[in-house]
PDB file of all heavy atoms in Angstrom:
ATOM      1  N   HIS A   1       0.783  -1.207  -0.004  1.00  0.00           N
ATOM      2  CA  HIS A   1      -0.047   0.017   0.042  1.00  0.00           C
ATOM      3  C   HIS A   1       0.856   1.297   0.009  1.00  0.00           C
ATOM      4  O   HIS A   1       0.363   2.301  -0.476  1.00  0.00           O
ATOM      5  CB  HIS A   1      -0.939   0.044   1.187  1.00  0.00           C
ATOM      6  CG  HIS A   1      -1.886  -1.101   1.265  1.00  0.00           C
ATOM      7  ND1 HIS A   1      -2.923  -1.230   0.357  1.00  0.00           N
ATOM      8  CD2 HIS A   1      -1.961  -2.228   2.012  1.00  0.00           C
ATOM      9  CE1 HIS A   1      -3.608  -2.329   0.601  1.00  0.00           C
ATOM     10  NE2 HIS A   1      -3.053  -2.963   1.589  1.00  0.00           N
ATOM     11  N   ALA A   2       2.022   1.216   0.524  1.00  0.00           N
ATOM     12  CA  ALA A   2       2.880   2.427   0.559  1.00  0.00           C
ATOM     13  C   ALA A   2       4.339   1.998   0.630  1.00  0.00           C
ATOM     14  O   ALA A   2       4.639   0.849   1.134  1.00  0.00           O
ATOM     15  CB  ALA A   2       2.569   3.215   1.853  1.00  0.00           C
ATOM     16  N   ALA A   3       5.191   2.840   0.104  1.00  0.00           N
ATOM     17  CA  ALA A   3       6.643   2.598   0.172  1.00  0.00           C
ATOM     18  C   ALA A   3       7.417   3.943   0.512  1.00  0.00           C
ATOM     19  O   ALA A   3       7.214   4.859  -0.361  1.00  0.00           O
ATOM     20  CB  ALA A   3       7.136   1.979  -1.148  1.00  0.00           C
ATOM     21  N   GLN A   4       8.098   3.961   1.524  1.00  0.00           N
ATOM     22  CA  GLN A   4       8.768   5.169   1.938  1.00  0.00           C
ATOM     23  C   GLN A   4      10.304   4.948   1.979  1.00  0.00           C
ATOM     24  O   GLN A   4      10.798   4.323   2.917  1.00  0.00           O
ATOM     25  CB  GLN A   4       8.296   5.696   3.349  1.00  0.00           C
ATOM     26  CG  GLN A   4       9.059   6.884   3.878  1.00  0.00           C
ATOM     27  CD  GLN A   4       8.905   8.094   2.976  1.00  0.00           C
ATOM     28  OE1 GLN A   4       7.783   8.621   2.718  1.00  0.00           O
ATOM     29  NE2 GLN A   4      10.032   8.588   2.494  1.00  0.00           N
ATOM     30  N   PRO A   5      11.072   5.442   0.974  1.00  0.00           N
ATOM     31  CA  PRO A   5      12.515   5.340   1.096  1.00  0.00           C
ATOM     32  C   PRO A   5      13.021   6.083   2.287  1.00  0.00           C
ATOM     33  O   PRO A   5      12.549   7.251   2.538  1.00  0.00           O
ATOM     34  CB  PRO A   5      13.000   5.992  -0.230  1.00  0.00           C
ATOM     35  CG  PRO A   5      11.798   5.842  -1.148  1.00  0.00           C
ATOM     36  CD  PRO A   5      10.571   6.037  -0.309  1.00  0.00           C
ATOM     37  N   LEU A   6      13.954   5.539   2.973  1.00  0.00           N
ATOM     38  CA  LEU A   6      14.482   6.144   4.180  1.00  0.00           C
ATOM     39  C   LEU A   6      15.801   6.839   3.901  1.00  0.00           C
ATOM     40  O   LEU A   6      16.492   6.545   2.854  1.00  0.00           O
ATOM     41  CB  LEU A   6      14.640   5.116   5.350  1.00  0.00           C
ATOM     42  CG  LEU A   6      13.335   4.357   5.682  1.00  0.00           C
ATOM     43  CD1 LEU A   6      13.629   3.303   6.779  1.00  0.00           C
ATOM     44  CD2 LEU A   6      12.236   5.316   6.129  1.00  0.00           C
ATOM     45  N   CYS A   7      16.289   7.638   4.801  1.00  0.00           N
ATOM     46  CA  CYS A   7      17.482   8.408   4.610  1.00  0.00           C
ATOM     47  C   CYS A   7      18.747   7.518   4.512  1.00  0.00           C
ATOM     48  O   CYS A   7      19.728   7.887   3.895  1.00  0.00           O
ATOM     49  CB  CYS A   7      17.666   9.451   5.699  1.00  0.00           C
ATOM     50  SG  CYS A   7      16.429  10.695   5.853  1.00  0.00           S
ATOM     51  N   ASP A   8      18.686   6.301   5.063  1.00  0.00           N
ATOM     52  CA  ASP A   8      19.828   5.420   5.096  1.00  0.00           C
ATOM     53  C   ASP A   8      19.815   4.410   3.920  1.00  0.00           C
ATOM     54  O   ASP A   8      20.650   3.471   3.872  1.00  0.00           O
ATOM     55  CB  ASP A   8      19.929   4.641   6.414  1.00  0.00           C
ATOM     56  CG  ASP A   8      18.687   3.816   6.683  1.00  0.00           C
ATOM     57  OD1 ASP A   8      17.860   3.646   5.826  1.00  0.00           O
ATOM     58  OD2 ASP A   8      18.560   3.245   7.804  1.00  0.00           O
ATOM     59  N   GLY A   9      18.889   4.571   2.987  1.00  0.00           N
ATOM     60  CA  GLY A   9      18.848   3.708   1.811  1.00  0.00           C
ATOM     61  C   GLY A   9      17.877   2.540   1.923  1.00  0.00           C
ATOM     62  O   GLY A   9      17.630   1.873   0.874  1.00  0.00           O
ATOM     63  N   ARG A  10      17.330   2.301   3.065  1.00  0.00           N
ATOM     64  CA  ARG A  10      16.348   1.218   3.259  1.00  0.00           C
ATOM     65  C   ARG A  10      14.971   1.753   2.843  1.00  0.00           C
ATOM     66  O   ARG A  10      14.804   2.933   2.677  1.00  0.00           O
ATOM     67  CB  ARG A  10      16.384   0.668   4.658  1.00  0.00           C
ATOM     68  CG  ARG A  10      17.632   0.007   5.076  1.00  0.00           C
ATOM     69  CD  ARG A  10      17.626  -0.432   6.488  1.00  0.00           C
ATOM     70  NE  ARG A  10      17.523   0.653   7.439  1.00  0.00           N
ATOM     71  CZ  ARG A  10      17.447   0.516   8.803  1.00  0.00           C
ATOM     72  NH1 ARG A  10      17.469  -0.713   9.309  1.00  0.00           N
ATOM     73  NH2 ARG A  10      17.332   1.566   9.550  1.00  0.00           N
ATOM     74  N   ILE A  11      13.992   0.857   2.729  1.00  0.00           N
ATOM     75  CA  ILE A  11      12.634   1.272   2.344  1.00  0.00           C
ATOM     76  C   ILE A  11      11.698   0.703   3.320  1.00  0.00           C
ATOM     77  O   ILE A  11      11.733  -0.547   3.594  1.00  0.00           O
ATOM     78  CB  ILE A  11      12.337   0.754   0.920  1.00  0.00           C
ATOM     79  CG1 ILE A  11      13.319   1.343  -0.098  1.00  0.00           C
ATOM     80  CG2 ILE A  11      10.925   1.197   0.497  1.00  0.00           C
ATOM     81  CD1 ILE A  11      13.173   0.718  -1.481  1.00  0.00           C
ATOM     82  N   LEU A  12      10.800   1.520   3.836  1.00  0.00           N
ATOM     83  CA  LEU A  12       9.751   1.071   4.762  1.00  0.00           C
ATOM     84  C   LEU A  12       8.499   0.919   3.946  1.00  0.00           C
ATOM     85  O   LEU A  12       8.052   1.844   3.214  1.00  0.00           O
ATOM     86  CB  LEU A  12       9.543   2.070   5.847  1.00  0.00           C
ATOM     87  CG  LEU A  12       8.487   1.682   6.935  1.00  0.00           C
ATOM     88  CD1 LEU A  12       8.982   0.498   7.741  1.00  0.00           C
ATOM     89  CD2 LEU A  12       8.193   2.855   7.865  1.00  0.00           C
ATOM     90  N   VAL A  13       7.865  -0.287   3.941  1.00  0.00           N
ATOM     91  CA  VAL A  13       6.626  -0.470   3.117  1.00  0.00           C
ATOM     92  C   VAL A  13       5.517  -0.883   4.074  1.00  0.00           C
ATOM     93  O   VAL A  13       5.719  -1.423   5.169  1.00  0.00           O
ATOM     94  CB  VAL A  13       6.833  -1.539   2.025  1.00  0.00           C
ATOM     95  CG1 VAL A  13       7.967  -1.115   1.099  1.00  0.00           C
ATOM     96  CG2 VAL A  13       7.102  -2.899   2.643  1.00  0.00           C
ATOM     97  N   VAL A  14       4.344  -0.670   3.575  1.00  0.00           N
ATOM     98  CA  VAL A  14       3.065  -1.051   4.359  1.00  0.00           C
ATOM     99  C   VAL A  14       2.341  -2.126   3.588  1.00  0.00           C
ATOM    100  O   VAL A  14       1.964  -1.949   2.411  1.00  0.00           O
ATOM    101  CB  VAL A  14       2.167   0.145   4.516  1.00  0.00           C
ATOM    102  CG1 VAL A  14       0.868  -0.272   5.300  1.00  0.00           C
ATOM    103  CG2 VAL A  14       2.890   1.286   5.273  1.00  0.00           C
ATOM    104  N   LEU A  15       2.154  -3.268   4.255  1.00  0.00           N
ATOM    105  CA  LEU A  15       1.320  -4.323   3.758  1.00  0.00           C
ATOM    106  C   LEU A  15       0.106  -4.321   4.687  1.00  0.00           C
ATOM    107  O   LEU A  15      -0.025  -3.559   5.622  1.00  0.00           O
ATOM    108  CB  LEU A  15       1.955  -5.691   3.729  1.00  0.00           C
ATOM    109  CG  LEU A  15       2.858  -5.939   2.518  1.00  0.00           C
ATOM    110  CD1 LEU A  15       4.113  -5.173   2.574  1.00  0.00           C
ATOM    111  CD2 LEU A  15       3.138  -7.442   2.395  1.00  0.00           C
ATOM    112  N   LYS A  16      -0.841  -5.236   4.439  1.00  0.00           N
ATOM    113  CA  LYS A  16      -2.038  -5.299   5.281  1.00  0.00           C
ATOM    114  C   LYS A  16      -1.624  -5.576   6.779  1.00  0.00           C
ATOM    115  O   LYS A  16      -1.045  -6.597   7.010  1.00  0.00           O
ATOM    116  CB  LYS A  16      -2.978  -6.341   4.786  1.00  0.00           C
ATOM    117  CG  LYS A  16      -4.247  -6.410   5.578  1.00  0.00           C
ATOM    118  CD  LYS A  16      -5.288  -7.407   4.919  1.00  0.00           C
ATOM    119  CE  LYS A  16      -6.579  -7.397   5.665  1.00  0.00           C
ATOM    120  NZ  LYS A  16      -7.606  -8.217   5.046  1.00  0.00           N
ATOM    121  N   ARG A  17      -1.874  -4.622   7.580  1.00  0.00           N
ATOM    122  CA  ARG A  17      -1.741  -4.707   9.031  1.00  0.00           C
ATOM    123  C   ARG A  17      -0.286  -4.819   9.484  1.00  0.00           C
ATOM    124  O   ARG A  17      -0.029  -5.222  10.668  1.00  0.00           O
ATOM    125  CB  ARG A  17      -2.568  -5.850   9.631  1.00  0.00           C
ATOM    126  CG  ARG A  17      -4.035  -5.661   9.392  1.00  0.00           C
ATOM    127  CD  ARG A  17      -4.877  -6.806   9.890  1.00  0.00           C
ATOM    128  NE  ARG A  17      -6.282  -6.675   9.583  1.00  0.00           N
ATOM    129  CZ  ARG A  17      -7.206  -7.623   9.604  1.00  0.00           C
ATOM    130  NH1 ARG A  17      -6.802  -8.816   9.869  1.00  0.00           N
ATOM    131  NH2 ARG A  17      -8.456  -7.391   9.265  1.00  0.00           N
ATOM    132  N   ARG A  18       0.689  -4.497   8.683  1.00  0.00           N
ATOM    133  CA  ARG A  18       2.018  -4.590   9.128  1.00  0.00           C
ATOM    134  C   ARG A  18       3.010  -3.680   8.326  1.00  0.00           C
ATOM    135  O   ARG A  18       2.726  -3.305   7.210  1.00  0.00           O
ATOM    136  CB  ARG A  18       2.571  -6.058   9.003  1.00  0.00           C
ATOM    137  CG  ARG A  18       2.628  -6.637   7.640  1.00  0.00           C
ATOM    138  CD  ARG A  18       2.700  -8.118   7.714  1.00  0.00           C
ATOM    139  NE  ARG A  18       2.938  -8.787   6.455  1.00  0.00           N
ATOM    140  CZ  ARG A  18       1.977  -9.098   5.600  1.00  0.00           C
ATOM    141  NH1 ARG A  18       0.716  -8.777   5.872  1.00  0.00           N
ATOM    142  NH2 ARG A  18       2.274  -9.720   4.440  1.00  0.00           N
ATOM    143  N   PHE A  19       4.060  -3.300   9.013  1.00  0.00           N
ATOM    144  CA  PHE A  19       5.208  -2.539   8.380  1.00  0.00           C
ATOM    145  C   PHE A  19       6.344  -3.495   8.113  1.00  0.00           C
ATOM    146  O   PHE A  19       6.763  -4.279   9.024  1.00  0.00           O
ATOM    147  CB  PHE A  19       5.632  -1.436   9.321  1.00  0.00           C
ATOM    148  CG  PHE A  19       4.599  -0.335   9.501  1.00  0.00           C
ATOM    149  CD1 PHE A  19       3.767  -0.376  10.591  1.00  0.00           C
ATOM    150  CD2 PHE A  19       4.567   0.736   8.611  1.00  0.00           C
ATOM    151  CE1 PHE A  19       2.781   0.655  10.752  1.00  0.00           C
ATOM    152  CE2 PHE A  19       3.573   1.730   8.787  1.00  0.00           C
ATOM    153  CZ  PHE A  19       2.703   1.694   9.856  1.00  0.00           C
ATOM    154  N   VAL A  20       6.892  -3.452   6.955  1.00  0.00           N
ATOM    155  CA  VAL A  20       7.992  -4.249   6.540  1.00  0.00           C
ATOM    156  C   VAL A  20       9.172  -3.314   6.153  1.00  0.00           C
ATOM    157  O   VAL A  20       9.017  -2.416   5.425  1.00  0.00           O
ATOM    158  CB  VAL A  20       7.627  -5.204   5.425  1.00  0.00           C
ATOM    159  CG1 VAL A  20       8.835  -5.963   4.890  1.00  0.00           C
ATOM    160  CG2 VAL A  20       6.500  -6.128   5.845  1.00  0.00           C
ATOM    161  N   LEU A  21      10.345  -3.684   6.646  1.00  0.00           N
ATOM    162  CA  LEU A  21      11.539  -2.903   6.297  1.00  0.00           C
ATOM    163  C   LEU A  21      12.417  -3.714   5.289  1.00  0.00           C
ATOM    164  O   LEU A  21      12.723  -4.881   5.532  1.00  0.00           O
ATOM    165  CB  LEU A  21      12.408  -2.663   7.562  1.00  0.00           C
ATOM    166  CG  LEU A  21      13.575  -1.757   7.366  1.00  0.00           C
ATOM    167  CD1 LEU A  21      13.163  -0.352   6.979  1.00  0.00           C
ATOM    168  CD2 LEU A  21      14.442  -1.744   8.677  1.00  0.00           C
ATOM    169  N   ILE A  22      12.720  -3.073   4.163  1.00  0.00           N
ATOM    170  CA  ILE A  22      13.477  -3.705   3.118  1.00  0.00           C
ATOM    171  C   ILE A  22      14.901  -3.157   3.207  1.00  0.00           C
ATOM    172  O   ILE A  22      15.123  -1.939   3.113  1.00  0.00           O
ATOM    173  CB  ILE A  22      12.923  -3.444   1.718  1.00  0.00           C
ATOM    174  CG1 ILE A  22      11.439  -3.969   1.629  1.00  0.00           C
ATOM    175  CG2 ILE A  22      13.784  -4.069   0.631  1.00  0.00           C
ATOM    176  CD1 ILE A  22      10.786  -3.562   0.308  1.00  0.00           C
ATOM    177  N   ASP A  23      15.871  -4.073   3.402  1.00  0.00           N
ATOM    178  CA  ASP A  23      17.295  -3.598   3.436  1.00  0.00           C
ATOM    179  C   ASP A  23      17.792  -3.478   2.005  1.00  0.00           C
ATOM    180  O   ASP A  23      17.175  -3.828   1.018  1.00  0.00           O
ATOM    181  CB  ASP A  23      18.130  -4.711   4.188  1.00  0.00           C
ATOM    182  CG  ASP A  23      17.817  -4.687   5.703  1.00  0.00           C
ATOM    183  OD1 ASP A  23      17.706  -3.619   6.263  1.00  0.00           O
ATOM    184  OD2 ASP A  23      17.622  -5.800   6.276  1.00  0.00           O
ATOM    185  N   GLN A  24      18.989  -2.906   1.877  1.00  0.00           N
ATOM    186  CA  GLN A  24      19.560  -2.575   0.616  1.00  0.00           C
ATOM    187  C   GLN A  24      19.852  -3.817  -0.233  1.00  0.00           C
ATOM    188  O   GLN A  24      19.935  -3.711  -1.463  1.00  0.00           O
ATOM    189  CB  GLN A  24      20.797  -1.683   0.786  1.00  0.00           C
ATOM    190  CG  GLN A  24      20.519  -0.373   1.355  1.00  0.00           C
ATOM    191  CD  GLN A  24      21.718   0.600   1.448  1.00  0.00           C
ATOM    192  OE1 GLN A  24      22.552   0.588   0.578  1.00  0.00           O
ATOM    193  NE2 GLN A  24      21.774   1.334   2.515  1.00  0.00           N
ATOM    194  N   ASP A  25      20.025  -4.965   0.400  1.00  0.00           N
ATOM    195  CA  ASP A  25      20.273  -6.204  -0.366  1.00  0.00           C
ATOM    196  C   ASP A  25      18.975  -6.899  -0.783  1.00  0.00           C
ATOM    197  O   ASP A  25      19.007  -7.971  -1.326  1.00  0.00           O
ATOM    198  CB  ASP A  25      21.132  -7.161   0.497  1.00  0.00           C
ATOM    199  CG  ASP A  25      20.482  -7.638   1.760  1.00  0.00           C
ATOM    200  OD1 ASP A  25      19.327  -7.156   2.027  1.00  0.00           O
ATOM    201  OD2 ASP A  25      21.075  -8.367   2.557  1.00  0.00           O
ATOM    202  N   GLY A  26      17.799  -6.295  -0.453  1.00  0.00           N
ATOM    203  CA  GLY A  26      16.557  -6.869  -0.849  1.00  0.00           C
ATOM    204  C   GLY A  26      15.873  -7.731   0.224  1.00  0.00           C
ATOM    205  O   GLY A  26      14.719  -8.127   0.061  1.00  0.00           O
ATOM    206  N   SER A  27      16.586  -8.043   1.281  1.00  0.00           N
ATOM    207  CA  SER A  27      16.007  -8.841   2.391  1.00  0.00           C
ATOM    208  C   SER A  27      15.019  -7.967   3.148  1.00  0.00           C
ATOM    209  O   SER A  27      15.083  -6.683   3.129  1.00  0.00           O
ATOM    210  CB  SER A  27      17.076  -9.370   3.313  1.00  0.00           C
ATOM    211  OG  SER A  27      17.800  -8.234   3.899  1.00  0.00           O
ATOM    212  N   SER A  28      14.012  -8.567   3.719  1.00  0.00           N
ATOM    213  CA  SER A  28      12.951  -7.820   4.382  1.00  0.00           C
ATOM    214  C   SER A  28      12.536  -8.520   5.682  1.00  0.00           C
ATOM    215  O   SER A  28      12.732  -9.722   5.877  1.00  0.00           O
ATOM    216  CB  SER A  28      11.758  -7.678   3.459  1.00  0.00           C
ATOM    217  OG  SER A  28      11.190  -8.942   3.118  1.00  0.00           O
ATOM    218  N   ARG A  29      11.940  -7.689   6.547  1.00  0.00           N
ATOM    219  CA  ARG A  29      11.467  -8.209   7.839  1.00  0.00           C
ATOM    220  C   ARG A  29      10.345  -7.350   8.322  1.00  0.00           C
ATOM    221  O   ARG A  29      10.321  -6.154   8.093  1.00  0.00           O
ATOM    222  CB  ARG A  29      12.588  -8.301   8.861  1.00  0.00           C
ATOM    223  CG  ARG A  29      13.328  -6.960   8.951  1.00  0.00           C
ATOM    224  CD  ARG A  29      14.636  -7.053   9.726  1.00  0.00           C
ATOM    225  NE  ARG A  29      15.545  -6.031   9.303  1.00  0.00           N
ATOM    226  CZ  ARG A  29      16.539  -5.554  10.100  1.00  0.00           C
ATOM    227  NH1 ARG A  29      16.618  -5.933  11.373  1.00  0.00           N
ATOM    228  NH2 ARG A  29      17.323  -4.639   9.700  1.00  0.00           N
ATOM    229  N   VAL A  30       9.407  -7.966   9.026  1.00  0.00           N
ATOM    230  CA  VAL A  30       8.329  -7.206   9.730  1.00  0.00           C
ATOM    231  C   VAL A  30       8.919  -6.561  10.894  1.00  0.00           C
ATOM    232  O   VAL A  30       9.529  -7.153  11.788  1.00  0.00           O
ATOM    233  CB  VAL A  30       7.174  -8.174  10.102  1.00  0.00           C
ATOM    234  CG1 VAL A  30       6.124  -7.353  10.881  1.00  0.00           C
ATOM    235  CG2 VAL A  30       6.565  -8.797   8.873  1.00  0.00           C
ATOM    236  N   VAL A  31       8.705  -5.206  10.996  1.00  0.00           N
ATOM    237  CA  VAL A  31       9.247  -4.464  12.158  1.00  0.00           C
ATOM    238  C   VAL A  31       8.181  -3.962  13.102  1.00  0.00           C
ATOM    239  O   VAL A  31       8.451  -3.554  14.224  1.00  0.00           O
ATOM    240  CB  VAL A  31      10.113  -3.273  11.692  1.00  0.00           C
ATOM    241  CG1 VAL A  31      11.386  -3.801  10.987  1.00  0.00           C
ATOM    242  CG2 VAL A  31       9.330  -2.345  10.704  1.00  0.00           C
ATOM    243  N   ASP A  32       6.917  -3.933  12.641  1.00  0.00           N
ATOM    244  CA  ASP A  32       5.857  -3.532  13.548  1.00  0.00           C
ATOM    245  C   ASP A  32       4.520  -3.906  12.872  1.00  0.00           C
ATOM    246  O   ASP A  32       4.463  -4.187  11.691  1.00  0.00           O
ATOM    247  CB  ASP A  32       5.851  -1.982  13.780  1.00  0.00           C
ATOM    248  CG  ASP A  32       5.285  -1.679  15.124  1.00  0.00           C
ATOM    249  OD1 ASP A  32       4.511  -2.416  15.671  1.00  0.00           O
ATOM    250  OD2 ASP A  32       5.451  -0.478  15.532  1.00  0.00           O
ATOM    251  N   ARG A  33       3.466  -3.861  13.694  1.00  0.00           N
ATOM    252  CA  ARG A  33       2.114  -4.086  13.229  1.00  0.00           C
ATOM    253  C   ARG A  33       1.389  -2.760  13.129  1.00  0.00           C
ATOM    254  O   ARG A  33       1.634  -1.879  13.943  1.00  0.00           O
ATOM    255  CB  ARG A  33       1.353  -5.067  14.144  1.00  0.00           C
ATOM    256  CG  ARG A  33       1.984  -6.397  14.263  1.00  0.00           C
ATOM    257  CD  ARG A  33       1.761  -7.207  12.952  1.00  0.00           C
ATOM    258  NE  ARG A  33       2.572  -8.471  12.942  1.00  0.00           N
ATOM    259  CZ  ARG A  33       2.465  -9.293  11.935  1.00  0.00           C
ATOM    260  NH1 ARG A  33       1.713  -9.109  10.919  1.00  0.00           N
ATOM    261  NH2 ARG A  33       3.239 -10.407  11.955  1.00  0.00           N
ATOM    262  N   VAL A  34       0.471  -2.670  12.174  1.00  0.00           N
ATOM    263  CA  VAL A  34      -0.455  -1.519  12.139  1.00  0.00           C
ATOM    264  C   VAL A  34      -1.353  -1.696  13.362  1.00  0.00           C
ATOM    265  O   VAL A  34      -2.043  -2.755  13.419  1.00  0.00           O
ATOM    266  CB  VAL A  34      -1.251  -1.455  10.822  1.00  0.00           C
ATOM    267  CG1 VAL A  34      -2.235  -0.330  10.883  1.00  0.00           C
ATOM    268  CG2 VAL A  34      -0.289  -1.301   9.676  1.00  0.00           C
ATOM    269  N   HIS A  35      -1.322  -0.764  14.277  1.00  0.00           N
ATOM    270  CA  HIS A  35      -2.002  -1.055  15.576  1.00  0.00           C
ATOM    271  C   HIS A  35      -3.537  -1.188  15.448  1.00  0.00           C
ATOM    272  O   HIS A  35      -4.094  -2.037  16.166  1.00  0.00           O
ATOM    273  CB  HIS A  35      -1.582   0.106  16.520  1.00  0.00           C
ATOM    274  CG  HIS A  35      -0.141   0.093  16.877  1.00  0.00           C
ATOM    275  ND1 HIS A  35       0.813   0.719  16.038  1.00  0.00           N
ATOM    276  CD2 HIS A  35       0.497  -0.407  17.875  1.00  0.00           C
ATOM    277  CE1 HIS A  35       1.981   0.536  16.571  1.00  0.00           C
ATOM    278  NE2 HIS A  35       1.883  -0.112  17.697  1.00  0.00           N
ATOM    279  N   ARG A  36      -4.151  -0.404  14.603  1.00  0.00           N
ATOM    280  CA  ARG A  36      -5.633  -0.558  14.370  1.00  0.00           C
ATOM    281  C   ARG A  36      -5.911  -0.283  12.934  1.00  0.00           C
ATOM    282  O   ARG A  36      -5.388   0.700  12.368  1.00  0.00           O
ATOM    283  CB  ARG A  36      -6.406   0.450  15.309  1.00  0.00           C
ATOM    284  CG  ARG A  36      -6.413   0.018  16.807  1.00  0.00           C
ATOM    285  CD  ARG A  36      -7.051   1.033  17.697  1.00  0.00           C
ATOM    286  NE  ARG A  36      -6.173   2.164  17.938  1.00  0.00           N
ATOM    287  CZ  ARG A  36      -5.951   2.770  19.103  1.00  0.00           C
ATOM    288  NH1 ARG A  36      -6.647   2.302  20.164  1.00  0.00           N
ATOM    289  NH2 ARG A  36      -5.170   3.801  19.215  1.00  0.00           N
ATOM    290  N   GLY A  37      -6.783  -1.101  12.329  1.00  0.00           N
ATOM    291  CA  GLY A  37      -7.084  -0.899  10.951  1.00  0.00           C
ATOM    292  C   GLY A  37      -6.086  -1.746  10.034  1.00  0.00           C
ATOM    293  O   GLY A  37      -5.223  -2.452  10.574  1.00  0.00           O
ATOM    294  N   ASN A  38      -6.297  -1.616   8.768  1.00  0.00           N
ATOM    295  CA  ASN A  38      -5.416  -2.360   7.826  1.00  0.00           C
ATOM    296  C   ASN A  38      -4.184  -1.669   7.444  1.00  0.00           C
ATOM    297  O   ASN A  38      -3.117  -2.138   7.192  1.00  0.00           O
ATOM    298  CB  ASN A  38      -6.236  -2.672   6.540  1.00  0.00           C
ATOM    299  CG  ASN A  38      -7.346  -3.708   6.799  1.00  0.00           C
ATOM    300  OD1 ASN A  38      -7.106  -4.722   7.418  1.00  0.00           O
ATOM    301  ND2 ASN A  38      -8.565  -3.478   6.240  1.00  0.00           N
ATOM    302  N   LYS A  39      -4.266  -0.267   7.342  1.00  0.00           N
ATOM    303  CA  LYS A  39      -3.150   0.527   6.858  1.00  0.00           C
ATOM    304  C   LYS A  39      -3.497   2.011   7.162  1.00  0.00           C
ATOM    305  O   LYS A  39      -4.628   2.370   7.379  1.00  0.00           O
ATOM    306  CB  LYS A  39      -2.989   0.309   5.329  1.00  0.00           C
ATOM    307  CG  LYS A  39      -4.290   0.700   4.578  1.00  0.00           C
ATOM    308  CD  LYS A  39      -4.167   0.361   3.116  1.00  0.00           C
ATOM    309  CE  LYS A  39      -5.384   0.718   2.322  1.00  0.00           C
ATOM    310  NZ  LYS A  39      -5.762   2.161   2.359  1.00  0.00           N
TER     311      LYS A  39
END
């Protein structure tokens, strides 16, 4: 739903009910949940 490039070169993206951080090598991990709602 959203992709926000960060100052350090990583990208924060929003999927349904969660935030995912994409590292510069393309690996990704869930870093938080959307607390209420889908996005």
Side-chain angles (χ1 to χ4, degrees):
H1 299 290
Q4 175 62 61
L6 304 178
C7 296
D8 61 9
R10 296 177 297 178
I11 301 172
L12 184 67
V13 301
V14 180
L15 278 73
K16 183 173 184 176
R17 297 177 184 163
R18 63 196 187 278
F19 292 93
V20 174
L21 187 64
I22 301 174
D23 290 316
Q24 295 184 39
D25 62 1
S27 60
S28 62
R29 50 191 155 154
V30 175
V31 292
D32 206 346
R33 298 286 170 179
V34 175
H35 294 83
R36 286 173 285 224
N38 290 315
K39 58 185 179 62

